[in-house]
Amino acid sequence: MTYHESRNTVELHTSDMCFSPSETLESGQCFRFSKKSPDEYEVTAMGKTLTLGGENGKIIFQNTTLEEFENIWLNYFDLKRDYKQIQDVLTANDIIMRDAVDFAPGIRILKQEPWECLISFIISQNNRIPMIKQVVKNLCERFGEMSTDGSFSFPSPSVLARLHESDITECKSGFRAKYILDAARKVESGEVEINGTEKTETGTLRENLMRIKGVGEKVADCVMLFSMKRHEVFPTDVWVKRIMQKLYLNGKDTSLKEIRAYAERRFGAYAGFAQQYLFHYARLNKIV
DNA sequence: CTCCAGGGATCAG
DNA sequence: CTGATCCATGGA
């Protein structure tokens, strides 16, 4: 992997072809991005707005510098990790995973900011991706701070904690407004720690997150996988449940708990990567 | 009109 | 502990 800067853009060259901006962004991990052209996405994250595009080993990062690329985007897109090795392990003796990986080999597991990720996945419950994006956008535009480039920051826990539930409902969050408020209060007060949790054991971290109203196992696992590098967890939603039952469990109706346990046993330390390949595969192929 | 969405809280058994 | 029902909102 090599990269170089020229005129406010950074070009990234990879030989393994395990990074696709579209596959990564469209795989349902993050919600503040938009498609600018068939091959260009605008992402707002880490307090920055980035435009990126390209496929097949050559990715262009616009509106950034070499320093910013190395300090922020390399980490955010998890570009230092060897995904070829992960795919090799997952697809060894697994024809199902072979198909899922081949369908979108360019998916990366992002390293998002925990607070934004937490609120995003609280909003995600019983909701659809376009609506989740809209609510997140509303929160940012109403309560975030506008930066010089005109984009909005994600509002901090202290800002949201001081709001009334009705302020949040106006962002079209529906019944989740009280959950967002509870999350803001518990993070703001320090009752639930979401930063500097690297040393916390995954099970303990999950229990802590679930002290927030509106955070169950699935939301907690998404937050841990997409913002805390807990790659051994296997967030089990309806899509993952359906595809696991269909492809791995002979179509037998199986509880979420059992599916999660089965997957964590089968995929081990790479369960989170497997989950993301399977989710994207199931959703875009409309597998029932 | 009805049905449902990257679930979870609540309540019944 | 497991299963059913409800939840705001908007698009199909």
Side-chain angles (χ1 to χ4, degrees):
Chain A
M1 181 181 80
T2 60
Y3 50 86
H4 62 87
E5 179 183 15
S6 68
R7 303 195 317 280
N8 215 33
T9 72
V10 174
E11 261 189 43
L12 169 69
H13 297 266
T14 56
S15 53
D16 63 10
M17 303 198 199
C18 290
F19 177 44
S20 156
S22 60
E23 288 171 7
T24 299
L25 294 169
E26 301 283 7
S27 67
Q29 305 177 57
C30 66
F31 303 98
R32 277 211 290 169
F33 68 91
S34 63
K35 198 174 195 170
K36 306 297 282 184
S37 75
D39 188 36
E40 269 188 334
Y41 284 86
E42 187 176 87
V43 191
T44 303
M46 312 299 289
K48 308 277 181 186
T49 300
L50 171 77
T51 303
L52 80 167
E55 300 286 340
N56 300 327
K58 182 182 174 182
I59 317 292
I60 312 288
F61 295 70
Q62 297 177 52
N63 187 29
T64 189
T65 62
L66 190 62
E67 185 187 5
E68 198 176 277
F69 176 81
E70 291 182 328
N71 291 335
I72 297 178
W73 304 122
L74 221 46
N75 184 35
Y76 180 77
F77 290 104
D78 199 26
L79 296 174
K80 292 180 192 168
R81 192 179 310 278
D82 183 359
Y83 276 65
K84 190 78 179 69
Q85 185 266 338
I86 293 169
Q87 293 176 358
D88 286 346
V89 171
L90 285 176
T91 58
N93 306 316
D94 190 335
I95 187 69
I96 300 162
M97 192 56 66
R98 182 77 262 170
D99 284 342
V101 168
D102 287 346
F103 179 71
I107 291 178
R108 296 260 163 178
I109 305 276
L110 299 173
K111 165 79 177 74
Q112 301 181 61
E113 294 177 282
W115 169 243
E116 178 174 341
C117 192
L118 169 63
I119 297 302
S120 298
F121 278 94
I122 286 175
I123 295 167
S124 79
Q125 70 171 71
N126 197 234
N127 212 342
R128 305 175 193 213
I129 289 177
M131 270 303 296
I132 301 166
K133 292 175 73 171
Q134 186 60 50
V135 177
V136 170
K137 186 180 179 194
N138 291 343
L139 284 171
C140 292
E141 290 179 356
R142 293 181 73 93
F143 306 118
E145 291 176 16
M146 191 171 76
S147 69
T148 50
D149 63 10
S151 66
F152 289 87
S153 67
F154 192 87
S156 67
S158 59
V159 167
L160 293 190
R162 292 165 203 282
L163 298 175
H164 292 288
E165 189 179 318
S166 58
D167 297 324
I168 299 176
T169 306
E170 284 175 16
C171 296
K172 305 301 179 185
S173 57
F175 64 90
R176 308 164 195 87
K178 52 185 170 293
Y179 301 155
I180 295 171
L181 202 51
D182 190 59
R185 287 174 177 161
K186 284 176 177 161
V187 170
E188 164 71 1
S189 71
E191 186 178 339
V192 174
E193 193 66 58
I194 61 170
N195 294 309
T197 57
E198 292 77 10
K199 296 289 183 187
T200 310
E201 195 270 329
T202 296
T204 307
L205 189 53
R206 180 185 288 114
E207 287 176 15
N208 290 343
L209 288 167
M210 287 174 62
R211 295 207 302 245
I212 297 167
K213 293 287 181 192
V215 178
E217 285 191 345
K218 190 267 172 181
V219 169
D221 284 357
C222 282
V223 174
M224 292 195 293
L225 178 59
F226 301 135
S227 75
M228 297 171 175
K229 295 189 178 181
R230 303 304 168 111
H231 297 142
E232 72 275 28
V233 304
F234 191 83
T236 310
D237 59 52
V238 289
W239 288 100
V240 175
K241 174 178 159 70
R242 286 175 195 150
I243 196 166
M244 287 298 290
Q245 285 175 175
K246 184 183 171 69
L247 299 182
Y248 284 94
L249 301 165
N250 283 325
K252 197 178 75 178
D253 192 27
T254 310
S255 72
L256 292 171
K257 240 186 217 329
E258 280 184 78
I259 289 174
R260 203 183 80 168
Y262 173 88
E264 288 180 350
R265 229 182 318 116
R266 182 177 182 111
F267 304 125
Y270 294 154
F273 299 100
Q275 188 271 4
Q276 202 57 11
Y277 290 124
L278 288 170
F279 171 76
H280 195 252
Y281 182 59
R283 205 168 66 93
L284 269 64
N285 285 293
K286 303 195 187 311
I287 288 176
V288 193

